[in-house]
Amino acid sequence: PADHILDGTGYLTNREEVFTKDMMKRFKQATKSYDKPVEIVTQAEAEVTEKSKSTEKKTWKLSAQMVRDFGFATSRKFIWDMMAVKIGERDVMAVSLYSKEGNPLWGQWSTMAVASTLKSYSRMTFDYPYHKAISVHAPMGMEYPMICYNFGRPDAEGNYSDRTKFGMISVIIHEVGHNWFPMIVNSDERQWTWMDEGLNTFVQYVAEQDFGEWNPTALSAGMTQYPSRRGPAKNIVPYMGGDQDFIAPIMTKGLNTYQFGNNAYGKPATALNILRETIMGRDLFDYSFREYTERWMFKHPTPEDFFRTMEDASAFDLDWYWRGWFFTTDYVDIGVKEVKKFYATSEPNQWIKDFAAQRGMEMSDLPPLVYMVEEGSEEFEESLRNGTLLDNAPTVKEYIMDNFSEKERSELKQPKYFYNVTFEKPGGLVMPIIVEYTYKDGTSKKETYPAQIWRLNDSEASKAIASDKEIVSIKVDPDLETADIDTSNNSWPKEIKQSQFDKFKNQVKN
Ligand SMILES: [Zn+2]
């Protein structure tokens, strides 16, 4: 019908025929507007148009190269706005089509979200190669090359909740993001759903955080960052810690899996986020991820192509990570098993006495040695608490006097406390051990022991610690960045969590 507005995949080749003079003028303005959208068709105009129905016809001609599919949207109710986005040396148009029922939300945020997405994804992958990206107001989210359909509608009075607003912005970022995965990095969605949904949901998370930073007025009161639903490690814990009968490896055909959203979207997105933030670091991860997308744009990658490119671009052995996260249903669970405190002494301990006896040696046959005595053990003497390392172990003192210059001696540290901390790994997944040590003076220090610590023993790892300050508590994964499904074993001393019943009992007692 001649009173319809239409846009879709491809170049509009007969713009002069289908646009009015006013629309042409506004379109030219929009191509120079980099900070906010310009309306090509206003709400007032759309409200007039929708009151009648034209019997005339009009033909919109679209032509596209390098696309695997196409879509279009047409209505006499459409409001139409656009803005320009600089991507590399080129200008790309961010576009929205919506009816008045979508306002005020759509006029305010749809095109801004498209523009923001184009920038974020181009930074994380390659420059967006098409000339436009359109977001259409619709009842659901669905993607096509250059055009996608997105939900999110205020009520009849124009009011909307945070859930509606961020749901709309997130679905726009997600569906525009599908231009990269799988429209351009052309993986097989039916075979490997995670290769488009998972990778896309990962970049969506990065793009959402960018959107919140670039558009602080979009955030609601009290928010310091965009409220992303998928991506943060702790959000995948209920799924990965859930009933194993209903969890399948990510490497499962999407059509045949349980919990489709968690399996193909949430878990792979979280796996990549943890790989970026906690395992590889942003520089190395981003370089490799970009290499994958550049290598496979307009080609057909399979999972192995992704795994291999991430490894050979970074020179980082990731076999263990792919195996755990993508081929199994294992989860992360790392805890503190035991903390032992030691004192140094020159007095031979039972272990060395037994050692010498077994070999028929006298203690005098041994060279001067230093021994460690565990606090609270039979050999432990209270007096050890009061002495320094050099008081308790004169052997060390003599050695230092004989082998170091005065200047070197003055620079030596004299640790007072010695610990042996044993970490346990009930979970099947391998992760770095991120530990926060808190000292008696109230200060704390964070240490990360790389994932390779589990290389030769998959269930336990120990660390010897010499410290000049007394450790009062130890916490594994203090910022919840590894998706540890059980944090009840993460602390030393053990944090006792009161059950609901105990809380109730105490209330009654009081
Ligand atoms: Zn999707």
Side-chain angles (χ1 to χ4, degrees):
D3 53 358
H4 272 217
I5 292 299
L6 183 148
D7 207 351
T9 309
Y11 284 97
L12 179 58
T13 57
N14 65 335
R15 191 180 304 277
E16 310 267 342
E17 282 169 41
V18 292
F19 272 36
T20 64
K21 277 214 176 75
D22 275 346
M23 285 165 73
M24 279 311 287
K25 208 170 75 197
R26 295 168 187 168
F27 173 68
K28 291 219 167 82
Q29 278 169 13
T31 62
K32 298 279 165 271
S33 178
Y34 295 91
D35 57 343
K36 59 176 192 303
V38 172
E39 287 180 325
I40 312 300
V41 177
T42 67
Q43 178 162 339
E45 290 162 346
E47 282 179 22
V48 172
T49 309
E50 74 169 280
K51 291 205 168 78
S52 58
K53 280 186 182 166
S54 171
T55 52
E56 305 289 303
K57 282 186 181 160
K58 193 192 260 185
T59 304
W60 300 63
K61 293 177 183 163
L62 294 161
S63 167
Q65 302 274 332
M66 301 295 272
V67 289
R68 62 179 223 169
D69 201 348
F70 68 93
F72 64 92
T74 169
S75 172
R76 61 175 60 82
K77 288 172 66 75
F78 276 154
I79 303 163
W80 200 4
D81 72 36
M82 302 178 190
M83 70 186 271
V85 188
K86 244 309 164 243
I87 299 294
E89 300 294 299
R90 298 167 45 245
D91 281 346
V92 174
M93 296 306 289
V95 182
S96 295
L97 286 167
Y98 46 97
S99 60
K100 64 178 188 300
E101 289 78 8
N103 269 337
L105 208 42
W106 275 71
Q108 198 173 4
W109 294 121
S110 175
T111 296
M112 293 299 281
V114 176
S116 177
T117 307
L118 292 171
K119 285 184 205 161
S120 296
Y121 274 69
S122 294
R123 186 187 77 237
M124 292 295 288
T125 62
F126 44 78
D127 286 352
Y128 186 65
Y130 299 136
H131 72 290
K132 69 180 170 190
I134 309 161
S135 161
V136 184
H137 183 44
M140 65 171 296
M142 187 47 70
E143 66 272 18
Y144 293 84
M146 298 181 222
I147 185 168
C148 59
Y149 304 82
N150 303 297
F151 55 75
R153 176 174 283 197
D155 67 19
E157 277 76 50
N159 302 312
Y160 51 85
S161 61
D162 271 5
R163 187 191 159 98
T164 301
K165 175 173 71 176
F166 295 116
M168 171 197 132
I169 294 168
S170 286
V171 73
I172 291 173
I173 293 172
H174 181 94
E175 305 306 344
V176 172
H178 271 307
N179 276 292
W180 278 264
F181 313 99
M183 301 303 159
I184 297 169
V185 179
N186 211 327
S187 56
D188 181 344
E189 307 166 63
R190 295 297 102 194
Q191 189 69 27
W192 305 114
T193 311
W194 68 269
M195 289 195 76
D196 64 302
E197 296 299 1
L199 269 57
N200 185 35
T201 302
F202 159 68
V203 189
Q204 177 193 341
Y205 169 68
V206 176
E208 284 173 354
Q209 295 305 308
D210 285 345
F211 182 86
E213 213 179 297
W214 299 337
N215 301 280
T217 56
L219 299 180
S220 301
M223 283 182 185
T224 53
Q225 64 184 100
Y226 189 95
S228 290
R229 192 162 71 94
R230 283 171 168 151
K234 62 177 169 17
N235 294 5
I236 202 69
V237 166
Y239 169 67
M240 289 180 76
D243 184 346
Q244 284 281 328
D245 284 351
F246 299 97
I247 305 176
I250 294 174
M251 285 290 287
T252 302
K253 189 181 244 191
L255 295 172
N256 300 348
T257 198
Y258 309 109
Q259 307 194 61
F260 185 70
N262 283 318
N263 179 279
Y265 296 62
K267 185 178 165 189
T270 311
L272 296 179
N273 194 34
I274 293 175
L275 193 57
R276 180 176 190 241
E277 300 288 353
T278 304
I279 314 277
M280 294 173 79
R282 289 187 181 184
D283 286 350
L284 198 53
F285 179 93
D286 291 357
Y287 173 81
S288 315
F289 191 76
R290 202 174 301 120
E291 178 67 25
Y292 164 71
T293 62
E294 283 170 359
R295 230 179 242 185
W296 290 98
M297 67 190 293
F298 298 116
K299 296 197 178 83
H300 303 285
T302 59
E304 292 72 21
D305 299 315
F306 176 68
F307 298 148
R308 284 192 200 114
T309 301
M310 290 300 289
E311 288 194 276
D312 73 35
S314 64
F316 202 110
D317 177 8
L318 293 168
D319 294 358
W320 57 277
Y321 197 80
W322 307 135
R323 174 174 140 184
W325 278 84
F326 289 77
F327 290 86
T328 80
T329 60
D330 281 340
Y331 48 77
V332 176
D333 185 12
I334 296 175
V336 191
K337 187 183 178 195
E338 194 172 49
V339 179
K340 287 182 175 171
K341 192 170 177 184
F342 290 92
Y343 290 87
T345 169
S346 295
E347 289 299 313
N349 60 11
Q350 194 56 46
W351 187 87
I352 196 74
K353 285 178 190 161
D354 294 346
F355 177 92
Q358 277 168 10
R359 287 162 182 76
M361 297 161 89
E362 295 296 321
M363 290 311 289
S364 56
D365 297 336
L366 294 169
L369 292 172
V370 183
Y371 306 94
M372 303 305 287
V373 172
E374 189 189 342
E375 187 180 69
S377 69
E378 275 180 27
E379 297 160 306
F380 176 70
E381 286 172 30
E382 282 298 325
S383 61
L384 286 171
R385 284 190 208 278
N386 305 322
T388 65
L389 166 65
L390 299 186
D391 297 337
N392 293 342
T395 330
V396 178
K397 194 170 184 173
E398 281 157 28
Y399 179 81
I400 289 173
M401 291 305 283
D402 292 347
N403 292 283
F404 292 83
S405 70
E406 201 178 326
K407 185 171 180 290
E408 285 170 330
R409 287 200 297 271
S410 69
E411 284 163 0
L412 284 178
K413 280 189 182 166
Q414 195 185 157
K416 206 168 167 212
Y417 301 93
F418 298 91
Y419 299 93
N420 193 67
V421 182
T422 306
F423 300 97
E424 61 179 357
K425 190 169 80 58
L429 289 187
V430 175
M431 271 285 152
I433 309 179
I434 303 164
V435 197
E436 187 175 60
Y437 296 103
T438 303
Y439 302 100
K440 199 163 190 178
D441 64 3
T443 59
S444 62
K445 186 173 80 169
K446 216 159 100 175
E447 290 267 8
T448 299
Y449 307 118
Q452 285 75 8
I453 197 170
W454 303 109
R455 206 160 40 103
L456 299 177
N457 182 341
D458 194 36
S459 56
E460 263 184 38
S462 294
K463 273 283 159 190
I465 296 165
S467 166
D468 43 6
K469 294 191 278 187
E470 187 177 359
I471 296 173
V472 292
S473 69
I474 299 175
K475 194 167 202 177
V476 170
D477 194 14
D479 303 323
L480 306 178
E481 56 184 296
T482 67
D484 191 321
I485 63 142
D486 178 9
T487 53
S488 71
N489 58 354
N490 285 30
S491 300
W492 174 85
K494 222 176 170 54
E495 275 174 14
I496 306 293
K497 291 212 175 78
Q498 268 199 336
S499 69
Q500 288 297 103
F501 180 70
D502 285 335
K503 276 185 200 157
F504 173 73
K505 225 164 58 174
N506 285 337
Q507 267 174 13
V508 173
K509 254 193 259 167
N510 296 338

